[in-house]
Short mmCIF file of all heavy atoms in Angstrom, two decimals:
data_model
loop_
_atom_site.label_atom_id
_atom_site.label_comp_id
_atom_site.label_asym_id
_atom_site.label_seq_id
_atom_site.Cartn_x
_atom_site.Cartn_y
_atom_site.Cartn_z
N MET M 1 0.13 6.50 22.49
CA MET M 1 -0.36 5.41 21.64
C MET M 1 0.38 5.43 20.30
O MET M 1 0.50 6.46 19.66
CB MET M 1 -1.86 5.58 21.43
CG MET M 1 -2.57 4.26 21.19
SD MET M 1 -4.37 4.48 21.26
CE MET M 1 -4.74 4.64 19.51
N ALA M 2 0.87 4.30 19.94
CA ALA M 2 1.63 4.22 18.69
C ALA M 2 0.70 4.22 17.49
O ALA M 2 -0.41 3.69 17.56
CB ALA M 2 2.49 2.98 18.67
N ASN M 3 1.15 4.80 16.43
CA ASN M 3 0.39 4.75 15.20
C ASN M 3 0.36 3.34 14.65
O ASN M 3 1.36 2.63 14.70
CB ASN M 3 1.00 5.68 14.15
CG ASN M 3 0.57 7.12 14.34
OD1 ASN M 3 -0.50 7.38 14.88
ND2 ASN M 3 1.40 8.05 13.92
N LYS M 4 -0.78 3.00 14.12
CA LYS M 4 -0.91 1.67 13.57
C LYS M 4 -0.78 1.72 12.05
O LYS M 4 -1.22 2.68 11.42
CB LYS M 4 -2.27 1.08 13.95
CG LYS M 4 -2.20 -0.41 14.09
CD LYS M 4 -3.50 -1.00 14.55
CE LYS M 4 -3.38 -2.51 14.46
NZ LYS M 4 -4.65 -3.18 14.43
N GLU M 5 -0.20 0.69 11.51
CA GLU M 5 -0.09 0.63 10.06
C GLU M 5 -1.46 0.44 9.44
O GLU M 5 -2.26 -0.36 9.90
CB GLU M 5 0.79 -0.55 9.65
CG GLU M 5 2.26 -0.31 9.82
CD GLU M 5 3.06 -1.46 9.27
OE1 GLU M 5 2.56 -2.59 9.28
OE2 GLU M 5 4.19 -1.22 8.83
N LYS M 6 -1.69 1.18 8.37
CA LYS M 6 -2.95 1.06 7.65
C LYS M 6 -2.64 0.93 6.16
O LYS M 6 -1.62 1.39 5.70
CB LYS M 6 -3.81 2.31 7.85
CG LYS M 6 -4.37 2.44 9.23
CD LYS M 6 -5.22 3.69 9.35
CE LYS M 6 -4.36 4.91 9.50
NZ LYS M 6 -5.13 6.11 9.90
N ALA M 7 -3.57 0.31 5.46
CA ALA M 7 -3.43 0.24 4.02
C ALA M 7 -4.43 1.19 3.39
O ALA M 7 -5.61 1.17 3.72
CB ALA M 7 -3.68 -1.19 3.54
N CYS M 8 -3.94 2.02 2.49
CA CYS M 8 -4.79 2.99 1.80
C CYS M 8 -5.83 2.26 0.94
O CYS M 8 -5.50 1.34 0.21
CB CYS M 8 -3.92 3.88 0.91
SG CYS M 8 -4.86 5.03 -0.07
N LYS M 9 -7.07 2.71 1.03
CA LYS M 9 -8.13 2.05 0.26
C LYS M 9 -8.07 2.40 -1.21
O LYS M 9 -8.70 1.77 -2.04
CB LYS M 9 -9.50 2.43 0.82
CG LYS M 9 -9.81 1.72 2.12
CD LYS M 9 -11.24 1.99 2.57
CE LYS M 9 -11.54 1.21 3.85
NZ LYS M 9 -12.89 1.53 4.36
N HIS M 10 -7.34 3.43 -1.55
CA HIS M 10 -7.28 3.87 -2.94
C HIS M 10 -6.11 3.22 -3.69
O HIS M 10 -6.28 2.68 -4.77
CB HIS M 10 -7.17 5.39 -3.01
CG HIS M 10 -8.34 6.07 -2.37
ND1 HIS M 10 -9.57 6.14 -2.97
CD2 HIS M 10 -8.47 6.66 -1.16
CE1 HIS M 10 -10.42 6.77 -2.16
NE2 HIS M 10 -9.76 7.10 -1.06
N CYS M 11 -4.92 3.30 -3.10
CA CYS M 11 -3.75 2.81 -3.84
C CYS M 11 -3.06 1.65 -3.13
O CYS M 11 -2.08 1.12 -3.65
CB CYS M 11 -2.77 3.96 -4.06
SG CYS M 11 -2.01 4.54 -2.53
N LYS M 12 -3.55 1.27 -1.95
CA LYS M 12 -3.02 0.12 -1.20
C LYS M 12 -1.67 0.37 -0.55
O LYS M 12 -1.05 -0.56 -0.04
CB LYS M 12 -2.94 -1.14 -2.07
CG LYS M 12 -4.29 -1.63 -2.53
CD LYS M 12 -4.12 -2.93 -3.26
CE LYS M 12 -5.45 -3.43 -3.81
NZ LYS M 12 -5.25 -4.61 -4.66
N MET M 13 -1.18 1.57 -0.59
CA MET M 13 0.08 1.83 0.09
C MET M 13 -0.11 1.71 1.60
O MET M 13 -1.15 2.11 2.14
CB MET M 13 0.62 3.22 -0.25
CG MET M 13 1.97 3.50 0.44
SD MET M 13 2.64 5.11 0.02
CE MET M 13 3.79 4.66 -1.28
N ILE M 14 0.89 1.16 2.26
CA ILE M 14 0.82 1.06 3.70
C ILE M 14 1.42 2.31 4.32
O ILE M 14 2.51 2.74 3.95
CB ILE M 14 1.53 -0.22 4.16
CG1 ILE M 14 0.75 -1.41 3.60
CG2 ILE M 14 1.63 -0.28 5.69
CD1 ILE M 14 1.13 -2.75 4.09
N PHE M 15 0.68 2.90 5.23
CA PHE M 15 1.16 4.13 5.85
C PHE M 15 0.74 4.18 7.31
O PHE M 15 -0.12 3.45 7.76
CB PHE M 15 0.62 5.35 5.09
CG PHE M 15 -0.89 5.52 5.13
CD1 PHE M 15 -1.47 6.38 6.05
CD2 PHE M 15 -1.70 4.81 4.27
CE1 PHE M 15 -2.86 6.55 6.10
CE2 PHE M 15 -3.09 4.96 4.31
CZ PHE M 15 -3.67 5.83 5.23
N GLU M 16 1.38 5.07 8.03
CA GLU M 16 0.99 5.34 9.41
C GLU M 16 0.58 6.80 9.48
O GLU M 16 1.12 7.63 8.77
CB GLU M 16 2.17 5.10 10.36
CG GLU M 16 2.53 3.62 10.47
CD GLU M 16 3.75 3.43 11.37
OE1 GLU M 16 3.98 4.25 12.27
OE2 GLU M 16 4.48 2.47 11.13
N GLY M 17 -0.36 7.11 10.34
CA GLY M 17 -0.80 8.49 10.47
C GLY M 17 -2.16 8.70 9.85
O GLY M 17 -2.96 7.78 9.75
N THR M 18 -2.41 9.92 9.40
CA THR M 18 -3.77 10.26 9.00
C THR M 18 -4.01 10.22 7.50
O THR M 18 -5.13 10.06 7.06
CB THR M 18 -4.16 11.65 9.53
OG1 THR M 18 -3.13 12.56 9.15
CG2 THR M 18 -4.30 11.65 11.03
N SER M 19 -2.96 10.41 6.70
CA SER M 19 -3.21 10.38 5.27
C SER M 19 -2.10 9.66 4.52
O SER M 19 -0.96 9.61 4.95
CB SER M 19 -3.39 11.79 4.72
OG SER M 19 -2.21 12.52 4.87
N CYS M 20 -2.49 9.11 3.38
CA CYS M 20 -1.58 8.35 2.55
C CYS M 20 -0.57 9.27 1.87
O CYS M 20 -0.96 10.25 1.23
CB CYS M 20 -2.41 7.60 1.51
SG CYS M 20 -1.43 6.81 0.24
N PRO M 21 0.71 8.99 1.99
CA PRO M 21 1.71 9.85 1.36
C PRO M 21 1.75 9.69 -0.15
O PRO M 21 2.30 10.53 -0.85
CB PRO M 21 3.03 9.39 1.99
CG PRO M 21 2.77 8.01 2.47
CD PRO M 21 1.30 7.91 2.77
N ASN M 22 1.13 8.66 -0.65
CA ASN M 22 1.16 8.42 -2.09
C ASN M 22 0.04 9.15 -2.83
O ASN M 22 0.28 9.83 -3.81
CB ASN M 22 1.08 6.92 -2.35
CG ASN M 22 1.31 6.56 -3.80
OD1 ASN M 22 2.23 7.08 -4.44
ND2 ASN M 22 0.49 5.69 -4.33
N CYS M 23 -1.18 9.03 -2.34
CA CYS M 23 -2.31 9.64 -3.05
C CYS M 23 -3.07 10.64 -2.19
O CYS M 23 -4.09 11.18 -2.62
CB CYS M 23 -3.26 8.55 -3.56
SG CYS M 23 -4.20 7.75 -2.26
N GLN M 24 -2.57 10.89 -0.97
CA GLN M 24 -3.20 11.84 -0.05
C GLN M 24 -4.58 11.42 0.42
O GLN M 24 -5.31 12.20 1.01
CB GLN M 24 -3.28 13.26 -0.67
CG GLN M 24 -2.06 14.12 -0.31
CD GLN M 24 -0.83 13.70 -1.08
OE1 GLN M 24 -0.85 13.64 -2.28
NE2 GLN M 24 0.23 13.37 -0.40
N GLY M 25 -4.91 10.17 0.14
CA GLY M 25 -6.21 9.67 0.63
C GLY M 25 -6.18 9.50 2.13
O GLY M 25 -5.13 9.22 2.71
N THR M 26 -7.30 9.67 2.75
CA THR M 26 -7.35 9.54 4.21
C THR M 26 -8.08 8.27 4.65
O THR M 26 -8.21 8.02 5.83
CB THR M 26 -8.06 10.75 4.85
OG1 THR M 26 -9.31 10.94 4.22
CG2 THR M 26 -7.22 12.01 4.68
N GLU M 27 -8.56 7.51 3.69
CA GLU M 27 -9.25 6.29 4.05
C GLU M 27 -8.29 5.12 4.06
O GLU M 27 -7.77 4.69 3.04
CB GLU M 27 -10.36 6.00 3.03
CG GLU M 27 -11.63 6.74 3.32
CD GLU M 27 -12.74 6.25 2.40
OE1 GLU M 27 -12.76 6.66 1.25
OE2 GLU M 27 -13.54 5.42 2.86
N GLY M 28 -8.05 4.62 5.28
CA GLY M 28 -7.18 3.46 5.40
C GLY M 28 -7.86 2.37 6.19
O GLY M 28 -8.79 2.62 6.94
N THR M 29 -7.40 1.16 5.99
CA THR M 29 -7.94 0.04 6.75
C THR M 29 -6.81 -0.77 7.34
O THR M 29 -5.75 -0.92 6.71
CB THR M 29 -8.84 -0.85 5.86
OG1 THR M 29 -9.23 -1.97 6.63
CG2 THR M 29 -8.12 -1.32 4.61
N ASP M 30 -7.02 -1.26 8.55
CA ASP M 30 -5.99 -2.13 9.11
C ASP M 30 -6.29 -3.60 8.81
O ASP M 30 -5.62 -4.49 9.26
CB ASP M 30 -5.79 -1.89 10.60
CG ASP M 30 -7.07 -2.02 11.41
OD1 ASP M 30 -8.07 -2.52 10.85
OD2 ASP M 30 -7.06 -1.64 12.57
N SER M 31 -7.34 -3.81 8.02
CA SER M 31 -7.65 -5.18 7.60
C SER M 31 -7.08 -5.42 6.22
O SER M 31 -7.75 -5.28 5.21
CB SER M 31 -9.17 -5.38 7.56
OG SER M 31 -9.72 -5.16 8.81
N PHE M 32 -5.80 -5.75 6.20
CA PHE M 32 -5.20 -6.06 4.91
C PHE M 32 -4.36 -7.32 5.03
O PHE M 32 -3.99 -7.73 6.12
CB PHE M 32 -4.35 -4.89 4.39
CG PHE M 32 -3.21 -4.51 5.30
CD1 PHE M 32 -1.99 -5.15 5.20
CD2 PHE M 32 -3.37 -3.49 6.23
CE1 PHE M 32 -0.94 -4.79 6.03
CE2 PHE M 32 -2.32 -3.12 7.07
CZ PHE M 32 -1.10 -3.78 6.97
N LYS M 33 -4.12 -7.93 3.89
CA LYS M 33 -3.38 -9.18 3.89
C LYS M 33 -2.14 -9.05 3.04
O LYS M 33 -2.22 -8.64 1.88
CB LYS M 33 -4.27 -10.29 3.28
CG LYS M 33 -5.00 -11.11 4.30
CD LYS M 33 -5.57 -12.34 3.66
CE LYS M 33 -6.03 -13.33 4.71
NZ LYS M 33 -6.58 -14.54 4.09
N GLY M 34 -1.02 -9.39 3.60
CA GLY M 34 0.21 -9.42 2.83
C GLY M 34 0.78 -8.05 2.57
O GLY M 34 0.08 -7.04 2.58
N LYS M 35 2.07 -8.01 2.37
CA LYS M 35 2.75 -6.74 2.11
C LYS M 35 3.77 -6.99 1.03
O LYS M 35 4.45 -8.00 1.03
CB LYS M 35 3.55 -6.33 3.34
CG LYS M 35 2.83 -5.49 4.34
CD LYS M 35 3.85 -5.07 5.38
CE LYS M 35 3.19 -4.77 6.69
NZ LYS M 35 4.18 -4.43 7.72
N ILE M 36 3.89 -6.07 0.12
CA ILE M 36 5.01 -6.15 -0.81
C ILE M 36 5.76 -4.82 -0.81
O ILE M 36 5.15 -3.76 -0.68
CB ILE M 36 4.59 -6.52 -2.25
CG1 ILE M 36 3.57 -5.52 -2.80
CG2 ILE M 36 4.02 -7.93 -2.30
CD1 ILE M 36 3.40 -5.67 -4.29
N THR M 37 7.05 -4.92 -0.91
CA THR M 37 7.87 -3.72 -1.00
C THR M 37 8.26 -3.53 -2.46
O THR M 37 8.85 -4.42 -3.06
CB THR M 37 9.12 -3.86 -0.13
OG1 THR M 37 8.71 -4.15 1.20
CG2 THR M 37 9.92 -2.57 -0.12
N VAL M 38 7.90 -2.40 -3.00
CA VAL M 38 8.24 -2.10 -4.39
C VAL M 38 9.35 -1.06 -4.39
O VAL M 38 9.20 0.03 -3.85
CB VAL M 38 7.01 -1.58 -5.16
CG1 VAL M 38 7.38 -1.21 -6.58
CG2 VAL M 38 5.90 -2.61 -5.15
N ILE M 39 10.48 -1.43 -4.96
CA ILE M 39 11.61 -0.51 -5.03
C ILE M 39 11.70 0.08 -6.42
O ILE M 39 11.93 1.26 -6.60
CB ILE M 39 12.91 -1.24 -4.65
CG1 ILE M 39 12.83 -1.67 -3.18
CG2 ILE M 39 14.13 -0.34 -4.86
CD1 ILE M 39 13.72 -2.85 -2.85
N ASP M 40 11.48 -0.76 -7.41
CA ASP M 40 11.55 -0.31 -8.79
C ASP M 40 10.33 -0.82 -9.54
O ASP M 40 10.34 -1.92 -10.08
CB ASP M 40 12.85 -0.84 -9.41
CG ASP M 40 13.09 -0.28 -10.80
OD1 ASP M 40 12.19 0.40 -11.34
OD2 ASP M 40 14.16 -0.53 -11.35
N SER M 41 9.28 -0.01 -9.54
CA SER M 41 8.01 -0.47 -10.12
C SER M 41 8.13 -0.73 -11.62
O SER M 41 7.41 -1.55 -12.17
CB SER M 41 6.90 0.53 -9.84
OG SER M 41 7.23 1.79 -10.38
N GLU M 42 9.06 -0.06 -12.28
CA GLU M 42 9.22 -0.24 -13.73
C GLU M 42 9.70 -1.64 -14.07
O GLU M 42 9.37 -2.19 -15.11
CB GLU M 42 10.27 0.75 -14.27
CG GLU M 42 9.89 2.20 -14.09
CD GLU M 42 9.09 2.72 -15.28
OE1 GLU M 42 9.57 2.58 -16.40
OE2 GLU M 42 8.00 3.25 -15.04
N ASN M 43 10.52 -2.19 -13.18
CA ASN M 43 11.13 -3.48 -13.47
C ASN M 43 10.67 -4.60 -12.54
O ASN M 43 11.29 -5.65 -12.49
CB ASN M 43 12.66 -3.35 -13.41
CG ASN M 43 13.17 -2.45 -14.51
OD1 ASN M 43 12.97 -2.72 -15.68
ND2 ASN M 43 13.79 -1.36 -14.13
N SER M 44 9.61 -4.36 -11.83
CA SER M 44 9.12 -5.38 -10.92
C SER M 44 7.90 -6.09 -11.51
O SER M 44 6.90 -5.47 -11.82
CB SER M 44 8.74 -4.75 -9.57
OG SER M 44 7.98 -5.65 -8.81
N GLU M 45 8.02 -7.40 -11.68
CA GLU M 45 6.91 -8.18 -12.21
C GLU M 45 5.71 -8.11 -11.27
O GLU M 45 4.57 -8.02 -11.70
CB GLU M 45 7.33 -9.64 -12.40
CG GLU M 45 8.25 -9.86 -13.59
CD GLU M 45 7.61 -9.42 -14.91
OE1 GLU M 45 6.42 -9.73 -15.13
OE2 GLU M 45 8.29 -8.77 -15.71
N LEU M 46 6.02 -8.15 -9.98
CA LEU M 46 4.95 -8.12 -8.98
C LEU M 46 4.21 -6.78 -9.02
O LEU M 46 2.99 -6.73 -8.93
CB LEU M 46 5.56 -8.37 -7.60
CG LEU M 46 4.61 -8.77 -6.49
CD1 LEU M 46 3.80 -10.01 -6.88
CD2 LEU M 46 5.38 -9.04 -5.21
N ALA M 47 4.95 -5.73 -9.20
CA ALA M 47 4.33 -4.40 -9.27
C ALA M 47 3.44 -4.30 -10.50
O ALA M 47 2.34 -3.76 -10.45
CB ALA M 47 5.40 -3.31 -9.29
N LYS M 48 3.92 -4.84 -11.62
CA LYS M 48 3.11 -4.84 -12.84
C LYS M 48 1.85 -5.65 -12.64
O LYS M 48 0.75 -5.27 -13.03
CB LYS M 48 3.92 -5.44 -14.00
CG LYS M 48 4.80 -4.43 -14.68
CD LYS M 48 5.59 -5.10 -15.80
CE LYS M 48 6.89 -4.36 -16.05
NZ LYS M 48 7.86 -5.18 -16.79
N HIS M 49 2.03 -6.80 -12.01
CA HIS M 49 0.92 -7.71 -11.77
C HIS M 49 -0.16 -7.07 -10.91
O HIS M 49 -1.34 -7.28 -11.11
CB HIS M 49 1.47 -8.98 -11.11
CG HIS M 49 0.45 -10.07 -10.98
ND1 HIS M 49 -0.06 -10.74 -12.07
CD2 HIS M 49 -0.13 -10.60 -9.88
CE1 HIS M 49 -0.93 -11.63 -11.64
NE2 HIS M 49 -1.00 -11.57 -10.31
N THR M 50 0.27 -6.30 -9.92
CA THR M 50 -0.69 -5.70 -8.99
C THR M 50 -1.09 -4.29 -9.40
O THR M 50 -1.91 -3.68 -8.76
CB THR M 50 -0.11 -5.67 -7.57
OG1 THR M 50 1.22 -5.15 -7.61
CG2 THR M 50 -0.04 -7.06 -6.97
N GLY M 51 -0.49 -3.78 -10.47
CA GLY M 51 -0.86 -2.46 -10.97
C GLY M 51 -0.28 -1.31 -10.17
O GLY M 51 -0.79 -0.20 -10.22
N ILE M 52 0.77 -1.57 -9.44
CA ILE M 52 1.40 -0.53 -8.63
C ILE M 52 2.39 0.25 -9.48
O ILE M 52 3.20 -0.32 -10.20
CB ILE M 52 2.09 -1.16 -7.40
CG1 ILE M 52 1.02 -1.70 -6.45
CG2 ILE M 52 2.99 -0.14 -6.70
CD1 ILE M 52 1.58 -2.63 -5.39
N LYS M 53 2.30 1.57 -9.39
CA LYS M 53 3.14 2.40 -10.25
C LYS M 53 4.12 3.28 -9.49
O LYS M 53 4.83 4.08 -10.07
CB LYS M 53 2.26 3.27 -11.14
CG LYS M 53 1.48 2.47 -12.15
CD LYS M 53 0.76 3.39 -13.12
CE LYS M 53 -0.06 2.61 -14.14
NZ LYS M 53 -1.21 1.91 -13.55
N SER M 54 4.12 3.17 -8.18
CA SER M 54 5.07 3.97 -7.42
C SER M 54 5.80 3.08 -6.42
O SER M 54 5.40 1.94 -6.21
CB SER M 54 4.38 5.12 -6.71
OG SER M 54 3.14 4.71 -6.21
N LYS M 55 6.87 3.60 -5.84
CA LYS M 55 7.59 2.75 -4.91
C LYS M 55 7.11 2.96 -3.48
O LYS M 55 6.57 4.01 -3.14
CB LYS M 55 9.09 2.97 -5.03
CG LYS M 55 9.54 4.38 -4.79
CD LYS M 55 11.06 4.45 -4.97
CE LYS M 55 11.55 5.88 -4.83
NZ LYS M 55 13.02 5.95 -4.96
N GLY M 56 7.29 1.91 -2.69
CA GLY M 56 6.82 1.96 -1.32
C GLY M 56 6.40 0.58 -0.87
O GLY M 56 6.68 -0.42 -1.53
N ILE M 57 5.71 0.54 0.26
CA ILE M 57 5.21 -0.73 0.76
C ILE M 57 3.70 -0.77 0.54
O ILE M 57 2.99 0.17 0.91
CB ILE M 57 5.55 -0.89 2.26
CG1 ILE M 57 7.05 -0.74 2.48
CG2 ILE M 57 5.07 -2.25 2.78
CD1 ILE M 57 7.45 -0.66 3.93
N PHE M 58 3.25 -1.83 -0.08
CA PHE M 58 1.84 -1.92 -0.42
C PHE M 58 1.22 -3.19 0.13
O PHE M 58 1.90 -4.21 0.28
CB PHE M 58 1.66 -1.89 -1.95
CG PHE M 58 2.07 -0.59 -2.57
CD1 PHE M 58 3.39 -0.36 -2.89
CD2 PHE M 58 1.12 0.40 -2.79
CE1 PHE M 58 3.78 0.86 -3.45
CE2 PHE M 58 1.50 1.61 -3.35
CZ PHE M 58 2.82 1.84 -3.68
N ALA M 59 -0.06 -3.13 0.39
CA ALA M 59 -0.80 -4.31 0.80
C ALA M 59 -1.16 -5.13 -0.42
O ALA M 59 -1.43 -4.58 -1.49
CB ALA M 59 -2.06 -3.90 1.55
N LEU M 60 -1.12 -6.43 -0.27
CA LEU M 60 -1.51 -7.28 -1.40
C LEU M 60 -3.02 -7.30 -1.58
O LEU M 60 -3.53 -7.28 -2.68
CB LEU M 60 -1.00 -8.70 -1.16
CG LEU M 60 0.40 -9.01 -1.67
CD1 LEU M 60 0.71 -10.47 -1.42
CD2 LEU M 60 0.54 -8.71 -3.16
N ARG M 61 -3.71 -7.37 -0.46
CA ARG M 61 -5.15 -7.48 -0.56
C ARG M 61 -5.81 -6.76 0.61
O ARG M 61 -5.37 -6.86 1.74
CB ARG M 61 -5.53 -8.96 -0.50
CG ARG M 61 -6.91 -9.25 -0.99
CD ARG M 61 -7.14 -10.74 -1.10
NE ARG M 61 -6.24 -11.38 -2.05
CZ ARG M 61 -6.09 -12.70 -2.15
NH1 ARG M 61 -6.75 -13.49 -1.36
NH2 ARG M 61 -5.26 -13.21 -3.03
N LEU M 62 -6.86 -6.04 0.32
CA LEU M 62 -7.63 -5.39 1.39
C LEU M 62 -8.86 -6.23 1.67
O LEU M 62 -9.39 -6.88 0.78
CB LEU M 62 -8.08 -3.99 0.97
CG LEU M 62 -7.01 -3.00 0.52
CD1 LEU M 62 -7.65 -1.65 0.30
CD2 LEU M 62 -5.88 -2.88 1.50
N ARG M 63 -9.31 -6.16 2.89
CA ARG M 63 -10.50 -6.90 3.22
C ARG M 63 -11.70 -5.98 3.36
O ARG M 63 -11.54 -4.79 3.58
CB ARG M 63 -10.31 -7.69 4.51
CG ARG M 63 -9.72 -9.05 4.21
CD ARG M 63 -9.83 -9.94 5.40
NE ARG M 63 -8.82 -9.54 6.41
CZ ARG M 63 -8.82 -9.99 7.67
NH1 ARG M 63 -9.74 -10.79 8.08
NH2 ARG M 63 -7.89 -9.62 8.50
ZN1 ZN V 1 -3.13 6.02 -1.21
#
């Protein structure tokens, strides 16, 4: 069975497996809307807007 993408409930990072590589949280949901890829959070307007401070793929909205 393939791992399913989940969005971390704490930091919204999208991850596969059992825990979030960004905050080590284990609570994820597969009910999320939209994805953004943050490469340079310092210079990304979208990252500032969403409050993301690290790089990676994040969900825009959790349900
Ligand atoms: Zn997280």
Side-chain angles (χ1 to χ4, degrees):
M1 208 169 97
N3 278 333
K4 211 176 172 200
E5 283 186 331
K6 289 181 282 192
C8 176
K9 285 187 178 176
H10 300 284
C11 68
K12 295 185 183 173
M13 181 179 262
I14 296 189
F15 65 97
E16 291 177 29
T18 51
S19 64
C20 171
N22 189 44
C23 72
Q24 268 74 55
T26 52
E27 277 189 281
T29 175
D30 55 12
S31 301
F32 60 86
K33 264 193 167 180
K35 270 186 205 177
I36 58 167
T37 304
V38 178
I39 295 156
D40 187 352
S41 59
E42 298 271 306
N43 294 300
S44 166
E45 286 301 316
L46 197 55
K48 275 179 207 162
H49 188 68
T50 48
I52 291 166
K53 293 187 181 68
S54 39
K55 58 181 177 178
I57 305 171
F58 294 85
L60 271 183
R61 197 171 299 168
L62 304 186
R63 272 194 285 168

